[in-house]
Amino acid sequence: MVLLGINAYAHDSAVALLDGPRILAFVEEERFNREKHTTAFPDRSLRWVLEHHGLDLSDVDELAFFLKPWQLIASRTARALRYLPRSLVQFTTYRPGNALRILALGSYLRNGSFGARRAPRFRLRYVDHHLAHAASAYYLSGFEEAAILSIDGAGEDITTWFGRGMGHRIVRRHCVRLPHSLGLLYSAVTDYLGFKPWGGEGKVMGLAPYGDPARYRSAMHGLLHWNEDGRFELDLRYFDFHVTGWTRWISPAFEQVFGPRRPPQSELTSRHQDVAAALQEVVEDAALALVRHLHRLVPSRNLCLAGGVALNSVMNGRIRREGPFEHMFVQPAANDAGTALGGALLIAHGLLGLPRVESPEVVYLGPEYSAADHEAAARDLGLVIERPDDAVERTAELLAAGKIVGWFQGRMEVGPRALGNRSILADPRDATMKDTLNHRVKHREAFRPFAPSVLEEHAAEWFEGVASSPHMLLVFPVNPARRGRVPAVTHVDGTARVQTVSARSNPRFHRLIAAFGRRTGVPMLLNTSFNVQGEPIVCTPSNAVHCFKGTDMDYLVLGDLVLRKP
Ligand SMILES: [Fe+2]
């Protein structure tokens, strides 16, 4: 039984491939077509997952698409009619072709250029968007039963989904619909602060600790209301996205309260920091209220989180500390990429009743390249090649000497975080490293923080209340007595977005951090994604070499080769 899951034409297009209940591959199209958060159909991802496993479309039995197009069209049309004539502006950006393409997906794939040996016979199923988010978290969580919360901008028209997973089954218990959306609130303020919605939200989260939430706390609370029974509403006087179809995000009333919108690239002032701080705080408070309501509906010990808002690692940290659940699993590709996987898992388990299997690792599911590929990329672009006896020990030595190293190993990660296979690594002890990396390597805003990857067995010595966080989706306070030792990974508020690395989840990365720890007494590395501002994380050795050559990284380690510029 071969199952495919696809997300296309929205954002973060992706493909997942399953052999029965077993996940074989899961990749985002942006890594192949090099367009961040791409909306394109994931042709390249689809070709790669099939070819890599010796399959073609005629081998596929089931295909899940990540939303229900008719519900999407009905919901969009209803809203456009409701807000006439102001909603007419939607039609300047409306792309009816996308809805048609989604409806014609079956024939596109059957007649397309995917090189099937015989006529494909897969069954195409359009899956409820939030059910796909929920499935992407629950079926990987290892929990036999759990409460599930999915929060995003919007699916077909649901924005916040409360449900329960039991064995094979997932059921919805409550929901909030458009235009009332915690994700769209965050995106609207992201746009107001001069960053790109649907991508720049993480920058706002990074900016927030520089500000004082008190200045705009009550104004921000005025934008939304929630209560004990899970109701959640935005005050629509302050927003325009629901009327304009995301052409304009905020209304003039918003600027009357918070001041004029910040033009992109202009100076960031304390006002912008304070708005970000108030937003982050109010979103955390609202999310905690939603989680508490979920616990009343589903009084489980286990929580699964998905949806784009679940990438807010600071919020996740508070849910873990202050929420009513004992155990928590966050889908690492919590954004819409995850719905490609979730859709396929939903068919496998929820519909076909296939047994759940333990997934030892749910992140490293992308392409891997051979030693010959590494060698060819290094030669083509004229790098100096060093072949140490042990590339891990040599890399640890370089990092301990303050070098910035591009680290390219094994199968590519899925999701927005680099988790030790497509990473840029550096010494967390160096207080100047953050500025060096932001300016000379990543070419990004000076305020943005860097995260630590710490050996799981030593994490509790360095971070307060730390839990297993293999996917870098939780923020913890750095132990105050040790903050001074790792300034490059301690954010301005004394916290860090932690990746805990175990020998089981990523043995080679674990060995590298341990080797660095033996040399320095600090069992962690600064770990940032292997890319520069505005570009997707590198996929191929050649991507890595190009990125390396365009920045001030000192070394590039491709598999066992240690490379430097001539
Ligand atoms: Fe979504």
Side-chain angles (χ1 to χ4, degrees):
M1 167 77 61
V2 176
L3 301 99
L4 269 180
I6 292 183
N7 158 12
Y9 307 128
H11 40 92
D12 300 309
S13 300
V15 173
L17 176 72
L18 274 62
D19 174 13
R22 226 157 47 83
I23 305 166
L24 298 179
F26 177 25
V27 281
E28 292 151 283
E29 183 70 4
E30 65 163 32
R31 308 292 170 84
F32 292 100
N33 76 2
R34 311 304 300 155
E35 184 196 342
K36 207 165 183 175
H37 304 299
T38 188
T39 63
F41 187 84
D43 294 276
R44 293 171 179 86
S45 303
L46 184 54
R47 282 205 186 85
W48 178 77
V49 302
L50 291 172
E51 283 169 21
H52 185 71
H53 294 91
L55 301 170
D56 67 48
L57 268 180
S58 65
D59 298 308
V60 175
D61 301 293
E62 296 277 347
L63 195 155
F65 191 72
F66 80 119
L67 54 74
K68 296 197 169 208
W70 287 115
Q71 283 185 14
L72 183 74
I73 293 165
S75 138
R76 294 272 151 93
T77 309
R79 277 198 317 282
L81 293 173
R82 181 169 171 193
Y83 296 111
L84 279 172
R86 285 204 301 147
S87 60
L88 284 172
V89 65
Q90 293 192 21
F91 295 100
T92 60
T93 56
Y94 183 60
R95 289 174 298 173
N98 274 355
L100 297 176
R101 274 196 284 259
I102 294 172
L103 291 169
L105 190 68
S107 56
Y108 170 68
L109 288 170
R110 288 189 181 92
N111 304 326
S113 54
F114 294 98
R117 295 186 307 273
R118 48 183 192 271
R121 292 167 308 169
F122 59 80
R123 177 158 186 177
L124 170 61
R125 300 180 201 259
Y126 296 105
V127 173
D128 180 277
H129 184 69
H130 276 279
L131 213 45
H133 271 308
S136 75
Y138 173 65
Y139 290 124
L140 294 186
S141 68
F143 299 140
E144 265 306 303
E145 62 77 41
I148 312 171
L149 183 64
S150 169
I151 321 180
D152 69 358
E156 295 86 356
D157 77 329
I158 290 175
T159 64
T160 318
W161 186 102
F162 303 69
R164 181 174 189 205
M166 298 152 291
H168 288 184
R169 288 182 59 226
I170 295 178
V171 289
R172 188 177 91 194
R173 297 294 308 275
H174 177 64
C175 70
V176 177
R177 293 176 192 272
L178 277 172
H180 305 294
S181 163
L182 209 51
L184 293 177
L185 166 69
Y186 216 102
S187 296
V189 181
T190 297
D191 177 74
Y192 166 81
L193 289 172
F195 302 109
K196 234 174 154 175
W198 288 316
E201 287 80 0
K203 297 184 186 182
V204 175
M205 187 185 83
L207 184 65
Y210 290 91
D212 176 2
R215 182 173 168 192
Y216 290 109
R217 180 175 286 139
S218 71
M220 197 60 79
H221 271 274
L223 301 184
L224 68 165
H225 312 285
W226 63 83
N227 68 11
E228 292 291 295
D229 63 6
R231 205 169 50 82
F232 170 84
E233 280 182 3
L234 296 180
D235 187 331
L236 296 176
R237 288 174 300 176
Y238 296 100
F239 301 97
D240 252 352
F241 63 80
H242 57 296
V243 176
T244 64
W246 297 278
T247 308
R248 275 194 314 270
W249 284 87
I250 53 158
S251 75
F254 190 103
E255 290 183 282
Q256 279 162 22
V257 175
F258 296 96
R261 183 173 177 270
R262 172 182 172 256
Q265 316 298 337
S266 67
E267 193 199 348
L268 274 164
T269 66
S270 66
R271 180 169 67 83
H272 304 125
Q273 294 166 350
D274 293 345
V275 170
L279 171 74
Q280 178 65 29
E281 185 185 89
V282 80
V283 164
E284 289 170 20
D285 291 347
L288 267 169
L290 297 173
V291 164
R292 290 190 180 114
H293 177 63
L294 173 64
H295 191 255
R296 283 190 290 275
L297 292 174
V298 183
S300 171
R301 295 161 65 191
N302 307 319
L303 170 67
C304 293
L305 270 186
V309 179
L311 292 177
N312 192 313
S313 47
V314 182
M315 177 194 86
N316 295 347
R318 262 193 83 191
I319 289 175
R320 219 199 135 265
R321 282 196 306 279
E322 299 175 37
F325 293 94
E326 271 173 62
H327 309 288
M328 176 167 155
F329 177 80
V330 187
Q331 158 59 238
N335 59 357
D336 274 2
T339 57
L341 178 64
L345 287 169
L346 190 68
I347 291 181
H349 302 298
L351 207 66
L352 304 177
L354 299 178
R356 291 174 65 187
V357 291
E358 199 188 337
S359 294
E361 195 33 75
V362 298
V363 186
Y364 307 102
L365 290 163
E368 179 171 30
Y369 297 87
S370 66
D373 296 328
H374 297 158
E375 185 99 26
R379 285 195 189 290
D380 282 355
L381 292 147
L383 297 180
V384 179
I385 301 177
E386 185 191 324
R387 300 168 208 276
D389 291 338
D390 186 335
V392 171
E393 289 292 335
R394 172 70 176 134
T395 306
E397 182 184 297
L398 292 168
L399 288 163
K403 303 298 181 193
I404 299 170
V405 177
W407 175 251
F408 184 103
Q409 305 289 329
R411 294 190 73 173
M412 183 176 68
E413 307 89 336
V414 70
R417 305 275 94 86
L419 298 170
N421 284 9
R422 301 288 187 276
S423 290
I424 296 171
L425 305 174
D427 187 341
R429 301 170 301 163
D430 179 353
T432 64
M433 191 56 85
K434 184 181 142 201
D435 286 343
T436 306
L437 277 170
N438 273 330
H439 291 126
R440 284 178 31 207
V441 178
K442 301 277 288 193
H443 309 312
R444 66 181 203 180
E445 297 89 347
F447 68 86
R448 295 182 60 191
F450 289 100
S453 295
V454 63
L455 294 184
E456 188 168 75
E457 53 273 32
H458 290 291
E461 298 154 24
W462 293 83
F463 303 99
E464 290 184 335
V466 74
S468 175
S469 176
H471 307 130
M472 213 184 257
L473 282 164
L474 292 170
V475 165
F476 300 99
V478 183
N479 179 344
R482 296 192 171 199
R483 274 175 203 172
R485 292 181 66 190
V486 287
V489 292
T490 303
H491 203 9
V492 61
D493 59 354
T495 66
R497 188 182 65 208
V498 177
Q499 179 193 11
T500 54
V501 181
S502 67
R504 181 170 166 271
S505 67
N506 192 331
R508 193 169 167 89
F509 194 37
H510 184 270
R511 194 155 79 80
L512 175 66
I513 303 170
F516 180 83
R518 278 199 308 279
R519 284 172 169 79
T520 62
V522 176
M524 78 179 80
L525 287 168
L526 180 158
N527 173 10
T528 184
S529 52
F530 198 149
N531 63 338
V532 296
Q533 165 107 299
E535 280 186 13
I537 297 175
V538 299
C539 176
T540 65
S542 156
N543 294 154
V545 172
H546 277 289
C547 182
F548 175 65
K549 289 189 83 171
T551 69
D552 262 357
M553 262 182 269
D554 300 302
Y555 286 84
L556 168 60
V557 183
L558 284 185
D560 285 325
L561 303 179
V562 175
L563 311 168
R564 62 186 161 78
K565 292 159 199 160

